[in-house]
Amino acid sequence: MKTTAAVSLLLLLAATAGLAEVPSNLVVDGVPEFPAGLEARIRPYLDNRTAAFASWNPARPEMLIRTRFGETTQLHLVKMPGGARTQLTFLDDRASGGSFRPGDPNTILFGRDAGGNEMYQVHRYDVSSGEITLLTDGKSRNIGAAWSRDGKWFAFSSTRRNGRDTDIWIMNPSDPSTARMVLQVEGGGWFASDFSLDGSKLLVTNYTSANESDLYLVETGNGRKTHLTPKGAARVSYSSAKFSADDSVIYFTSDEGGEFHQLRRMRLSDRARQTISNERWDIGGFDLSHDRTRVAYSTNENGASRIKVAELPAGKVVASPQIPLGVAGGLDWHPNGRLIGFTLSHAKSPSDAYSYDVTSGKLERWTESETGGLNRERNAEPQLITTKSFDGTEISAFVYRPDAARFPGKRPVVVSIHGGPEGQSRPGFLGRNNFWINELGVAMVYPNVRGSDGYGKTFLAMDNAEKREDSVRDIGAILDWIARDPRLDASRVGVYGGSYGGYMVLASMIHFADRLEAGIDVVGISSFLTFLQNTSGYRRDLRRAEYGDERDPAMRAHLEKISPLANAAAIRDPLFVIMGFNDPRVPYTEGEQIVGIVRESGAPVWYLMAKDEGHGFAKRQNQDFQFTAMTMFWQQHLLD
């Protein structure tokens, strides 16, 4: 096996071999020159745009949104439904988050990293002058922005102290020198969610894993913390805690005593807890109205979203807007108590910003993102299928089929595996992947194997630690289902996935080498041992809770045994590996080491690495090149 340094040198020397007009920030190796006409054919699908609701102007019904007109996503202001999008920030890197200061329509806070390194810095944007001020230290990772109700303070998590632990800080954004740490912690999963009415207390969550988290009450004056949630033998997940109007009660979601997250309340005087929702699925995000008399929440029903509005404290549902089958999130009440803002996407439409008026029942679309001039009605609607895996566990998938009139006969298939692993494939907009369906006649299958979110906490934990490869065996069940479907061609199946989904691609190419034709691994894990060794310090313990602790000799042996790197000689089909040099989650070396071994085994390998990206490509020119190269890869190795 070549050393990482040797492989890196090989790849850098080959960076532009045989390719024209490769952006200088890309390292490209083994990728043939794009055929004439391919880029022009794909171009309309590359021009899809999305928009996401970020925040309400506190003085007027105006929306802050995130969308992209240039290379990266920036903040824009929209003053009415269907109104013009006025760009506010013009940065080289993406603007993340975005939140108006309560009571102040002139101040916005947002986050920004550099080249995808996820070392986010908090910035203040002055609406009247356009001036941007750095509020954090410029070096640490700073996330979250929970506002006090009067807008004087915001709380955030920062690794400023040691680069690893996410301590809780507060700051008056008018004066960065007021920043101070109110809670010193150990671990990378701490964040603040709400201030008490007088700002003297904070609700703080410690996230240990997808199955386990705890709530704390922290006094901002002296840092004293009180553990609010019971510590029992069973793992319980708590999230999104908010105070009631008088601070006597907190509202949160939890899977305590059941499989799914429900909306609950806790009386702080005696810790008495009560469930106030009765949903058959997980409640995702929720937000309380500013007077804290109503709650808006979304449910995740087999991947699709529903939005509901309920009265507090009883939790009686009083409204539920009719939205298309898709994915909604980011719920946020306007201070006027009538409007709820959110983001919605579905198969026929990219993500856009919407509002719902709880008084009139009116649903309004504030943005209408472009689809490159293409007729969005051509996009396939998802079909939800279920099948039984090797042990009888039911798993599901969303299937998108090409037009049978245009593409008759059995169709080739790309199985797209989500990351996380606690992610979930949901029926949203497929964006550029619609090209593969509409123009290449490829069917897309998006499975939710065990370990996926949204199907209960038992299902969520079924792939943990030593059970990791059971989720890979679920892909075998999906391949069995494909073989039984008369409209799909089981002899032409490829796998595609990012992050943990990239690991699943590599593992599937090893376990099902005789049933797959090719695979694309995007920012994927190739060895659990080197991944846990090299991932950022603030993430390491969080990932050990999912994959297993490599410091335990037995678990270390198991992780080494199941890692694709240890079995890479079994990969004989064409492989395309895509990485970001600045990735703090899955270091680019995870890709380079699998490329080296698979090439030594004689399999064809393409490699693409962006020197100015992190965990997935965010810049437009890099995304365009990546998608064009992936399309050519499928054409050569799946269709031809």
Side-chain angles (χ1 to χ4, degrees), residues 149 194-198 242-251 288-293 312:
R149 290 183 232 183
D194 198 23
F195 278 89
S196 62
L197 182 60
D198 63 1
K242 301 281 187 181
F243 284 103
S244 63
D246 64 358
D247 297 337
S248 65
V249 167
I250 64 170
Y251 295 94
L288 302 184
S289 60
H290 283 240
D291 63 5
R292 314 235 163 179
T293 62
L312 296 175

Side-chain angles (χ1 to χ4, degrees), residues 1-7 10 593 596-597 599-600:
M1 175 183 173
K2 297 180 178 67
T3 65
T4 298
V7 175
L10 172 66
Q593 61 191 11
I597 285 197
R599 278 207 174 130
E600 287 182 349

Side-chain angles (χ1 to χ4, degrees), residues 449-479:
V449 297
R450 69 191 65 205
S452 300
D453 197 10
Y455 305 95
K457 64 184 180 184
T458 299
F459 192 84
L460 186 64
M462 289 179 72
D463 67 338
N464 288 357
E466 68 280 352
K467 297 178 285 187
R468 177 63 44 207
E469 287 195 329
D470 286 354
S471 64
V472 181
R473 297 172 74 181
D474 287 346
I475 297 299
I478 293 295
L479 297 177

Side-chain angles (χ1 to χ4, degrees), residues 153-411:
W153 301 97
F154 75 96
F156 59 102
S157 303
S158 179
T159 62
R160 181 184 302 195
R161 178 171 55 89
N162 60 13
R164 180 184 66 251
D165 299 313
T166 51
D167 302 320
I168 304 299
W169 290 62
I170 65 172
M171 179 195 297
N172 182 332
S174 299
D175 181 4
S177 69
T178 62
R180 63 184 179 90
M181 184 172 64
V182 298
L183 181 64
Q184 180 174 315
V185 301
E186 291 185 3
W190 294 81
F191 59 92
S193 57
D194 198 23
F195 278 89
S196 62
L197 182 60
D198 63 1
S200 66
K201 297 180 180 65
L202 271 174
L203 288 172
V204 172
T205 302
N206 178 23
Y207 175 95
T208 301
S209 72
N211 288 95
E212 185 176 7
S213 52
D214 291 282
L215 300 179
Y216 292 84
L217 188 68
V218 177
E219 297 177 34
T220 58
N222 56 26
R224 184 181 296 116
K225 77 176 189 293
T226 302
H227 193 181
L228 296 177
T229 45
K231 201 71 174 175
R235 293 182 177 182
V236 180
S237 172
Y238 302 90
S239 64
S240 306
K242 301 281 187 181
F243 284 103
S244 63
D246 64 358
D247 297 337
S248 65
V249 167
I250 64 170
Y251 295 94
F252 56 95
T253 66
S254 174
D255 59 13
E256 182 182 6
E259 283 291 315
F260 296 97
H261 268 254
Q262 297 294 317
L263 186 64
R264 304 174 192 271
R265 62 194 303 268
M266 176 192 294
R267 192 167 56 221
L268 291 178
S269 61
D270 60 3
R271 312 289 170 79
R273 301 185 301 283
Q274 177 186 5
T275 301
I276 61 173
S277 64
N278 185 28
E279 302 293 343
R280 296 178 55 231
W281 299 89
D282 273 329
I283 288 179
F286 76 88
D287 189 44
L288 302 184
S289 60
H290 283 240
D291 63 5
R292 314 235 163 179
T293 62
R294 288 184 171 183
V295 59
Y297 62 84
S298 62
T299 56
N300 176 351
E301 303 183 5
N302 236 337
S305 296
R306 290 190 66 190
I307 296 174
K308 297 184 179 182
V309 179
E311 292 180 339
L312 296 175
K316 180 183 178 182
V317 175
V318 295
S320 181
Q322 296 300 307
I323 60 175
L325 180 73
V327 182
L331 301 175
D332 185 36
W333 286 85
H334 191 277
N336 65 19
R338 294 188 299 106
L339 294 175
I340 302 168
F342 60 95
T343 304
L344 172 67
S345 74
H346 54 93
K348 304 292 187 184
S349 174
S351 296
D352 272 311
Y354 286 75
S355 70
Y356 175 64
D357 189 318
V358 297
T359 302
S360 67
K362 189 174 185 179
L363 180 70
E364 291 190 288
R365 185 173 184 168
W366 284 63
T367 61
E368 188 162 353
S369 294
E370 297 84 350
T371 55
L374 298 168
N375 179 4
R376 63 187 68 194
E377 293 303 317
R378 289 184 59 203
N379 297 334
E381 291 279 5
Q383 171 197 1
L384 177 65
I385 66 98
T386 59
T387 190
K388 293 291 181 68
S389 192
F390 67 95
D391 59 354
T393 299
E394 184 174 87
I395 59 174
S396 62
F398 288 103
V399 181
Y400 297 77
R401 301 177 188 271
D403 182 355
R406 186 178 179 193
F407 297 103
K410 291 191 172 187
R411 303 314 310 159

Side-chain angles (χ1 to χ4, degrees), residues 484-515:
R484 295 192 299 268
D485 190 302
R487 293 172 288 177
L488 302 179
D489 187 349
S491 70
R492 291 188 294 168
V493 180
V495 281
Y496 166 52
S499 191
Y500 175 75
Y503 154 75
M504 290 287 283
V505 165
L506 298 173
S508 296
M509 294 180 73
I510 292 166
H511 285 260
F512 311 113
D514 58 339
R515 305 176 70 181

